[in-house]
Amino acid sequence: MGLIIDKQTRDDLSIFGARGAESIFGIFNKTTTSGGAELLEEWFNYPLSDALSIVDRTATIRYFMEQSMPFPFQSSWFDQALFYLDMADERSRLQGGSLSLRERFQQLVGGDSEYKKIVGGIIACSQIIHCWKDLIRHSPADHSDSYQKELKKWVLKFADSSLEQIPLLQDRQRLSREMVIQYDNILRFEEKELLLSILRDIYTFDVYRTVAQVAHERQFVVPIVDSSQQDQLIFEGVFHPLVANARGNDHAMDRLHNITFLTGANMAGKSTFMKSLGIALYLAHVGFPVPAKKLLFSPRDGIFTSINLPDNIAMGYSHFFAEVLRIKKVAQQLAEGRKLFVIFDEMFRGTNVKDALEGTVEVVSRLYQHPRCQFVLSTHILEAGEQLKQSHGDIRFVFLPTVMQQGRPSYTYHLQQGISADRHGMIIIENEGIIDLLTSQKQLDS
């Protein structure tokens, strides 16, 4: 079973992003083939939760990061091959024997475009097959175990296959009609499913190579799966990959410290920090390198976030009720014994301070009773932190500080231990001249 994740979480973490906006998928979407791009999107849509599957994928990508792997295919080959293989109508199968009067006329005037497409498709498939076999044959000998398993699967697909009868053909090579009929029957009918499976193998190679290149360029690291069953999360130098010059931070969670309580002033970087944790863990479950210096993690059953939670006018839901439903969804997953990683940004911001204080303390106290899950919560209600500090000393209380410079706040984006007492909202309002603007308007009105 894959990682449980929903649209709200993907949107919060900018996994795919709105049209025209930057996204985590966009960072990696540099494949050479369109089929590779589709496979990459599939992997992003369906992250893994099984530790062994994650280990295999991360190990293979690490191998690609350590090797300089070529991709000697031409993109046009795949376009021609796929167009050709889509011509699946049995009525288009070429027949032996004498040409019909129509076929003779089309051949005479050079108008048999369908036949030309078949020939072009055969040549493209031939070039793909032989290029792939050469690439596999000349792979470096010092394979990782995971990549060795992949290679073995790829090689075995050619065993006892009619595809071995297809020679390497050159562009615009003249083929007899008998040869075209023979190769077409093999490629488009007898071994079509096998050929499509081989194309997917090549797309997989394309994705591995692309992800390794992106990781190298951006200095991402391969995550480490924790096999100790201690439900650990250890982030070192984790940063948000869509933020320019992002500051990295260290953070750790485990069964004893399963809740992180985050405070800090507006604009101090709380949401960005929480998103960086979620993005890194999401990518780790895809089996991809992560934006950090190190990430050791125990695979989760699901990841849920509540960061940019909208209200729902159509359903009549206020923002507060949307928050309540979101927490209920998490609670239902917990009741089923799921191991989750959950982010709540400013829990109960949609209601009054008194209810938000009571609700935050009560919910966090209940979440504390699920040590195999990890929860990261931010709030501006410092009193909730003080109460929880008295009753639940194992909670990690951290904050992002604000430094005042010449009456203006500046931000370090460096995580510190404790609860922040920074309250600079009024200073920001005054620095923006809002009070002066409103005062001058009042004087004009009088």
Side-chain angles (χ1 to χ4, degrees):
M1 183 177 178
L3 185 76
I4 302 169
I5 199 143
D6 60 9
K7 184 178 183 301
Q8 180 65 48
T9 300
R10 289 191 179 93
D11 289 348
D12 281 344
L13 301 179
S14 300
I15 299 301
F16 291 104
R19 184 181 295 274
E22 291 185 303
S23 68
I24 306 304
F25 173 75
I27 291 174
F28 291 93
N29 189 22
K30 316 292 183 188
T31 57
T32 302
T33 63
S34 58
E38 291 175 4
L39 181 61
L40 179 71
E41 184 174 359
E42 178 185 317
W43 286 5
F44 261 82
N45 268 311
Y46 302 100
L48 307 168
S49 62
D50 174 65
L52 292 178
S53 298
I54 296 172
V55 167
D56 280 347
R57 187 175 289 175
T58 56
T60 300
I61 291 173
R62 181 186 290 108
Y63 174 77
F64 274 70
M65 291 174 68
E66 294 169 350
Q67 303 288 333
S68 178
M69 305 293 280
F71 194 77
F73 301 89
Q74 295 181 23
S75 298
S76 59
W77 295 349
F78 296 95
D79 296 336
Q80 283 185 286
L82 290 173
F83 183 87
Y84 162 69
L85 293 173
D86 280 343
M87 299 167 62
D89 193 329
E90 181 68 29
R91 291 172 297 181
S92 68
R93 185 195 288 261
L94 298 176
Q95 302 297 326
S98 301
L99 296 177
S100 67
L101 182 62
R102 174 176 172 274
E103 289 173 330
R104 288 177 182 275
F105 177 75
Q106 287 181 328
Q107 196 174 73
L108 181 65
V109 300
D112 194 351
S113 60
E114 184 174 288
Y115 183 81
K116 290 180 179 178
K117 291 172 183 174
I118 289 174
V119 172
I122 290 171
I123 293 174
C125 288
S126 154
Q127 291 169 327
I128 290 171
I129 290 169
H130 283 270
C131 190
W132 180 232
K133 290 166 70 175
D134 285 346
L135 187 59
I136 294 173
R137 189 180 303 116
H138 295 104
S139 290
D142 54 337
H143 307 129
S144 68
D145 290 342
S146 58
Y147 186 52
Q148 182 65 44
K149 286 191 292 185
E150 292 273 26
L151 280 175
K152 184 176 289 188
K153 287 191 300 182
W154 295 343
V155 169
L156 286 175
K157 287 187 179 180
F158 286 99
D160 302 321
S161 163
S162 299
L163 293 179
E164 294 286 9
Q165 300 177 31
I166 306 297
L168 175 60
L169 305 173
Q170 302 302 320
D171 292 337
R172 299 183 181 180
Q173 180 174 337
R174 295 184 64 85
L175 302 175
S176 69
R177 184 177 176 82
E178 289 73 21
M179 292 169 63
V180 171
I181 292 172
Q182 177 190 353
Y183 301 154
D184 181 48
N185 281 332
I186 293 172
L187 294 170
R188 199 155 54 107
F189 296 98
E190 293 178 16
E191 301 285 14
K192 178 180 177 179
E193 293 306 315
L194 175 61
L195 183 53
L196 289 173
S197 176
I198 289 171
L199 287 176
R200 185 176 173 88
D201 294 339
I202 297 172
Y203 301 151
T204 302
F205 185 94
D206 187 15
V207 172
Y208 283 145
R209 179 175 176 273
T210 300
V211 170
Q213 286 180 332
V214 170
H216 179 73
E217 291 167 1
R218 289 180 168 260
Q219 296 185 311
F220 290 1
V221 299
V222 175
I224 303 167
V225 175
D226 177 27
S227 58
S228 68
Q229 301 297 313
Q230 294 301 309
D231 298 300
Q232 294 187 90
L233 278 177
I234 300 176
F235 300 91
E236 292 183 10
V238 65
F239 63 94
H240 197 302
L242 298 179
V243 175
N245 303 314
R247 176 72 180 265
N249 276 291
D250 299 346
H251 191 59
M253 304 179 75
D254 53 35
R255 290 188 185 182
L256 184 61
H257 307 94
N258 69 320
I259 293 180
T260 296
F261 196 92
L262 175 64
T263 54
N266 285 312
M267 301 174 64
K270 298 189 302 299
S271 296
T272 299
F273 169 69
M274 290 190 294
K275 289 177 183 179
S276 71
L277 299 181
I279 290 167
L281 193 58
Y282 188 100
L283 286 174
H285 282 84
V286 179
F288 282 11
V290 301
K293 293 181 179 179
K294 175 183 177 181
L295 171 56
L296 183 143
F297 74 106
S298 299
R300 307 287 82 199
D301 295 322
I303 297 176
F304 289 90
T305 66
S306 181
I307 299 174
N308 301 314
L309 191 65
D311 55 16
N312 191 324
I313 297 174
M315 297 292 292
Y317 296 166
S318 66
H319 186 276
F320 172 67
F321 192 58
E323 288 182 289
V324 170
L325 292 180
R326 190 68 177 160
I327 295 171
K328 180 180 178 181
K329 184 172 185 176
V330 170
Q332 289 169 336
Q333 293 291 325
L334 294 174
E336 294 177 10
R338 308 287 190 196
K339 294 185 292 184
L340 305 179
F341 177 79
V342 184
I343 294 173
F344 290 114
D345 190 10
E346 295 186 33
M347 184 180 285
F348 299 129
R349 75 179 88 173
T351 190
N352 63 78
V353 175
K354 180 178 182 298
D355 285 343
L357 169 61
E358 294 177 355
T360 298
V361 172
E362 191 65 28
V363 169
V364 172
S365 297
R366 297 295 185 272
L367 296 177
Y368 182 82
Q369 299 170 13
H370 295 272
R372 301 202 68 186
C373 301
Q374 290 91 29
F375 307 93
V376 182
L377 310 98
S378 74
T379 185
H380 286 292
I381 305 173
L382 308 184
E383 295 79 5
E386 295 299 341
Q387 287 190 31
L388 290 166
K389 200 170 187 179
Q390 296 298 320
S391 57
H392 300 82
D394 293 329
I395 292 176
R396 290 199 189 279
F397 295 91
V398 295
F399 71 98
L400 288 160
T402 304
V403 178
M404 298 303 297
Q405 294 181 345
Q406 298 179 344
R408 288 187 173 275
S410 64
Y411 310 100
T412 68
Y413 307 116
H414 179 63
L415 199 66
Q416 297 186 18
Q417 302 298 312
I419 298 176
S420 170
D422 295 336
R423 302 191 186 208
H424 301 126
M426 197 62 203
I427 294 174
I428 295 172
I429 291 171
E430 290 175 349
N431 286 342
E432 291 301 314
I434 294 173
I435 302 302
D436 291 340
L437 284 170
L438 293 174
T439 302
S440 62
Q441 183 63 45
K442 180 179 179 181
Q443 291 172 349
L444 288 172
D445 291 342
S446 61

